[in-house]
Amino acid sequence: RGENESISEAEFNKWLRDQLNETHLSKAEFRELQATSMLASRLQDYLARQTPAAVEQVHLHLLVVENYEDALKAKERLGNGEEFASVARDMSTLANVVETGGDIGWLPFKALPSELRWVFYLEPGEVSEPVIYDEQTGSFAIYLVSEREEAREIDDAVMPLVKANLLQDWLTKEASNQKITFHGRKNGFDSETYTWLMWQLERQ
């Protein structure tokens, strides 16, 4: 509830009861999870404050096709001098990519997930080789970096990605120095652990 005066005590209590019913957690367990979530949010903000407002960024473009054969066709068309946006609108299977012509926008290194950070090192004008985009559907992606700037201010819309990846990088680094245990009884994966995981997933 915090200091939000627009939420009455009765409204808050009803919300809390609903949360406890949905998660099947005790009040103490729910409070612990909320505290952890708040701590993670504050840590994200702290890590973001350590990041300069202006950093190196690339102007990234994406084209997604159904299979490897289509990816090779798209790559050939690009190699023959066709505009990336034109090929993306013609061949991409992602609606938002079709609308923008594959233009994702300006992204700093930390806005990219770790498995995709290699695209940051593409030279301006360089088209990537086809890479798997979604293993379940078998779709492939082609990336292009059209521009690079050494110091560009991070867009507000991109900052949540940067914050999330900064926290994930920090957690990955810290995990190697810590002993990780399950939350369940006897350090096992039980119904309590499952409930906690489902609650976390529903919050995403």
Side-chain angles (χ1 to χ4, degrees):
R1 185 184 178 197
E3 299 177 355
N4 191 332
E5 296 180 357
S6 66
I7 301 176
S8 69
E9 187 73 23
E11 289 173 328
F12 172 76
N13 288 331
K14 180 182 182 304
W15 173 85
L16 180 58
R17 287 195 303 272
D18 290 342
Q19 294 297 311
L20 296 178
N21 289 334
E22 289 177 12
T23 61
H24 304 290
L25 297 173
S26 69
K27 185 182 291 189
E29 290 169 334
F30 186 75
R31 286 174 62 89
E32 182 182 354
L33 288 175
Q34 288 292 337
T36 301
S37 178
M38 292 172 64
L39 180 60
S41 178
R42 291 175 180 175
L43 181 55
Q44 277 187 333
D45 291 339
Y46 170 78
L47 294 172
R49 287 196 298 271
Q50 313 308 308
T51 301
V55 297
E56 184 178 8
Q57 297 190 51
V58 295
H59 192 175
L60 190 62
H61 304 257
L62 166 67
L63 190 161
V64 178
V65 293
E66 289 185 352
N67 50 55
Y68 184 67
E69 289 72 22
D70 285 347
L72 291 179
K73 292 176 183 177
K75 177 83 172 177
E76 182 179 5
R77 289 176 60 176
L78 294 169
N80 290 333
E82 288 193 52
E83 293 284 340
F84 193 95
S86 176
V87 178
R89 290 191 179 98
D90 187 34
M91 298 188 66
S92 182
T93 58
L94 298 182
N96 60 330
V97 170
V98 172
E99 292 174 3
T100 64
D103 189 344
I104 296 178
W106 287 92
L107 296 174
F109 182 79
K110 287 295 184 179
L112 297 166
S114 57
E115 67 273 12
L116 196 58
R117 288 177 180 170
W118 58 270
V119 302
F120 195 83
Y121 300 105
L122 292 172
E123 293 295 329
E126 181 182 359
V127 177
S128 77
E129 293 299 321
V131 294
I132 192 72
Y133 182 78
D134 188 328
E135 292 185 358
Q136 290 186 332
T137 63
S139 57
F140 276 77
I142 293 175
Y143 295 90
L144 164 72
V145 167
S146 61
E147 304 173 82
R148 180 184 300 273
E149 287 191 13
E150 294 297 323
R152 182 183 179 92
E153 189 171 350
I154 300 175
D155 190 275
D156 289 341
V158 175
M159 186 54 74
L161 292 174
V162 175
K163 287 184 177 181
N165 286 331
L166 285 170
L167 179 60
Q168 186 58 53
D169 290 346
W170 183 86
L171 290 171
T172 300
K173 180 180 177 182
E174 286 299 308
S176 63
N177 300 322
Q178 306 295 329
K179 179 181 178 182
I180 308 299
T181 60
F182 281 111
H183 184 64
R185 299 176 182 83
K186 298 182 180 179
N187 192 30
F189 190 92
D190 58 12
S191 59
E192 183 182 0
T193 309
Y194 178 80
T195 300
W196 181 84
L197 286 174
M198 291 302 100
W199 181 75
Q200 290 290 343
L201 290 172
E202 289 172 359
R203 297 173 63 242
Q204 300 304 314

